[in-house]
Amino acid sequence: MASKKPCKYGGKCYRRNPQHLREYSHPSDEQQSEQENIKRKKVTDENDTESEPKKTKGNDTKTVVQQSDPLSSEKSTHEEEQKVVNETTDSSSGIDSEEGEEEDIPSPANVRDNIKQKYLMDMPEDFYQFWEFCKKQNGSHPENAMKSLLGWTLVGPYDILAGKHKGVNKNKKGRRPKFLLHYRYYYDPPEFMTVVKGDKDTQFHIGYFRDEPSEMPVFVAVNQAKDSCKITPKGENIFGAVKNIIDEELKSADQDQKKKLKDFQNQLIDFAKSRKLCLDLQSNEMKKRNKKVVCKTFHGAGIVVPVDKNEVGYRPVPETPADLKKMFKKVVESKSKEERDKNMDPIQELITLVQFANDECDYGEGLELGMDLFSFGGEVLHPLIQHLLPLAYQLLGRFEFKDIIELHLKNRSHNVNNELEM
């Protein structure tokens, strides 16, 4: 039997299809070992070895105590291990530990805690103030306060305020609902959380965008998923975003519609001013954030990563956006496996550079390349995204975003996810 040809990417090759593995060998190398060491240091919430302590994110370390007494039963040890596995998988991510479970999803009485448990992030004060404003417009169904005027409905975490999660043990697929997918559109990165749905034909939606899951959103933006991946900031908070979008709607509205829109907008402005909320399209805080953006990315909202005084933290992907799109397009439109593998080579070279960048703590490059692949779209690119983005979020300590992207890639669809529908 002929010996395998060595793959030029060695242990760094992402390809795992059978034909490639039959034809090429993948010897490990020192760089791969160094990469694994970085992962082990950074990712304290994951441990794949049964002999070491099991850890859960946001909780104290859970240690499996092995019985030292040789007379101890094997069953007792197994029960201890299983208990730790259950505690680990039932962490705050809200992802099911078992598919067939029918228990109620934990819902803390405090609505803010409830939302954080289900969506992994705290919501800003203006989020709750907007619900208060909508209650003044429609006391019985605040979520529909803008439906007749603009065709918009409050969704996502607003469904918790509306009580729509209560008693929902299974979604329409017969599984426990995954709130991290709730109203997550095709091009929504983990940084973007939908709170308003609009026209279903264009999949227009409004959401909060944040750079760090542990911090409050940096702006409110819109996306039309049927059209493109573009995320367009519309204001510092939801009041500013709605006000500024209505400004655009007024330009094309007829006289009757214009009067209704203006009346609603004036009420919104008065309410926002009474709470001292900024309504500018570009607030001072947004301008400060713009200065921290290391690259725009395909979705246009940009990414922010920590960069120290020695400029460690980010290095750019060494290709122009136009050239990247050409690379991705060739892969997506490949007619055969052989053609696709050939077209993958330039991207594989970029992934190798990302791994070197990670070794030197420039984690932003992997986030940039992974995000551009995600924003370009195409199922054939998902293995590359899975290879890049979860690791980038781990290295940056953005573990909640890692949970979201992994779940999204498994369930990504051009049809909007509505996990609460029965």
Side-chain angles (χ1 to χ4, degrees):
M1 182 176 177
S3 59
K4 296 180 182 180
K5 295 178 285 187
C7 176
K8 65 180 178 179
Y9 299 112
K12 293 184 180 297
C13 181
Y14 71 88
R15 292 176 187 161
R16 289 296 177 264
N17 64 73
Q19 183 174 338
H20 182 78
L21 293 176
R22 282 196 299 270
E23 294 176 2
Y24 295 92
S25 64
H26 297 79
S28 60
D29 53 38
E30 292 181 5
Q31 288 295 338
Q32 185 182 25
S33 298
E34 291 173 11
Q35 180 66 18
E36 291 302 316
N37 287 335
I38 286 182
K39 292 182 193 178
R40 283 193 288 271
K41 289 177 184 177
K42 291 288 180 182
V43 187
T44 59
D45 70 325
E46 292 186 1
N47 196 320
D48 294 326
T49 20
E50 292 182 1
S51 61
E52 293 187 4
K54 305 279 183 182
K55 295 184 180 180
T56 56
K57 189 166 67 231
N59 295 298
D60 294 332
T61 301
K62 308 286 185 183
T63 306
V64 178
V65 181
Q66 301 292 343
Q67 300 289 340
S68 57
D69 184 350
L71 298 178
S72 297
S73 70
E74 185 177 341
K75 179 181 177 182
S76 175
T77 303
H78 173 74
E79 287 173 350
E80 285 292 329
E81 291 175 343
Q82 190 58 47
K83 181 180 178 183
V84 173
V85 171
N86 290 340
E87 288 173 344
T88 303
T89 55
D90 287 339
S91 67
S92 63
S93 71
I95 299 175
D96 301 333
S97 59
E98 290 185 32
E99 285 269 317
E101 228 171 288
E102 294 186 8
E103 296 177 11
D104 284 344
I105 298 168
S107 295
N110 183 293
V111 71
R112 295 173 189 243
D113 293 340
N114 197 342
I115 288 173
K116 184 170 184 179
Q117 174 156 346
K118 290 176 170 60
Y119 291 90
L120 305 186
M121 285 163 266
D122 288 312
M123 299 306 293
E125 198 59 36
D126 65 274
F127 168 85
Y128 298 100
Q129 291 169 335
F130 195 74
W131 181 257
E132 183 185 343
F133 168 72
C134 288
K135 282 175 78 172
K136 291 181 178 294
Q137 308 297 316
N138 187 331
S140 57
H141 290 285
E143 68 273 20
N144 294 331
M146 300 179 288
K147 194 166 187 178
S148 62
L149 182 63
L150 291 156
W152 299 353
T153 307
L154 300 182
V155 295
Y158 276 121
D159 282 337
I160 305 299
L161 294 179
K164 293 184 180 180
H165 66 293
K166 293 179 180 177
V168 178
N169 297 323
K170 291 184 179 180
N171 60 22
K172 59 186 176 182
K173 296 178 182 177
R175 299 174 182 173
R176 286 176 59 182
K178 296 176 176 65
F179 287 87
L180 299 184
L181 294 179
H182 188 39
Y183 280 103
R184 183 155 292 282
Y185 291 74
Y186 186 82
Y187 291 111
D188 290 351
E191 291 85 350
F192 190 84
M193 183 189 295
T194 299
V195 293
V196 177
K197 72 166 182 175
D199 178 57
K200 67 179 181 180
D201 293 330
T202 63
Q203 291 188 349
F204 171 92
H205 56 292
I206 303 172
Y208 286 93
F209 188 99
R210 64 186 91 205
D211 296 312
E212 292 275 358
S214 60
E215 297 176 1
M216 288 299 173
V218 290
F219 54 75
V220 174
V222 300
N223 169 253
Q224 294 189 147
K226 284 290 185 182
D227 297 338
S228 76
C229 65
K230 290 298 179 184
I231 295 172
T232 309
K234 292 296 180 180
E236 181 179 281
N237 55 67
I238 191 165
F239 286 90
V242 172
K243 181 261 180 191
N244 292 319
I245 296 169
I246 290 176
D247 279 341
E248 297 170 9
E249 294 286 327
L250 286 168
K251 295 174 184 176
S252 57
D254 59 37
Q255 284 303 116
D256 184 51
Q257 180 72 355
K258 189 173 290 188
K259 184 178 183 304
K260 292 176 181 176
L261 284 171
K262 202 66 183 169
D263 180 58
F264 178 84
Q265 188 186 55
N266 287 336
Q267 293 180 59
L268 180 141
I269 291 171
D270 290 343
F271 188 98
K273 285 184 176 178
S274 72
R275 270 58 172 187
K276 296 182 169 56
L277 294 168
C278 176
L279 298 174
D280 296 341
L281 185 62
Q282 272 281 328
S283 70
N284 289 332
E285 290 302 313
M286 291 169 69
K287 291 173 183 176
K288 288 179 185 177
R289 187 258 179 187
N290 288 342
K291 293 178 181 178
K292 299 177 185 177
V293 170
V294 294
C295 63
K296 280 293 183 185
T297 66
F298 288 0
H299 62 52
I303 59 172
V304 173
V305 295
V307 179
D308 68 18
K309 61 182 180 181
N310 297 316
E311 297 189 355
V312 174
Y314 171 75
R315 66 181 69 172
V317 174
E319 294 287 349
T320 65
D323 285 340
L324 283 176
K325 288 175 182 177
K326 288 177 184 176
M327 286 183 197
F328 302 166
K329 189 171 186 286
K330 281 185 177 181
V331 171
V332 171
E333 295 181 354
S334 294
K335 304 299 183 185
S336 66
K337 178 190 172 300
E338 290 73 21
E339 182 184 356
R340 184 170 67 247
D341 281 352
K342 181 181 178 181
N343 289 333
M344 280 281 193
D345 281 344
I347 305 175
Q348 174 67 69
E349 290 175 8
L350 293 177
I351 290 175
T352 302
L353 294 178
V354 166
Q355 290 166 329
F356 287 129
N358 285 342
D359 289 343
E360 297 174 12
C361 301
D362 286 332
Y363 306 139
E365 185 176 29
L367 180 60
E368 178 185 359
L369 182 58
M371 189 57 64
D372 283 344
L373 284 159
F374 176 82
S375 296
F376 188 84
E379 191 172 350
V380 71
L381 300 177
H382 283 188
L384 304 176
I385 302 166
Q386 183 66 46
H387 186 78
L388 289 166
L389 277 186
L391 176 59
Y393 288 131
Q394 287 176 345
L395 296 175
L396 289 163
R398 300 172 182 178
F399 301 107
E400 295 85 352
F401 290 165
K402 169 188 171 290
D403 288 348
I404 292 170
I405 193 62
E406 289 181 333
L407 192 61
H408 193 184
L409 288 174
K410 290 177 184 176
N411 299 273
R412 199 177 185 194
S413 170
H414 284 284
N415 296 317
V416 61
N417 283 298
N418 180 6
E419 283 284 320
L420 293 187
E421 281 188 357
M422 298 298 285

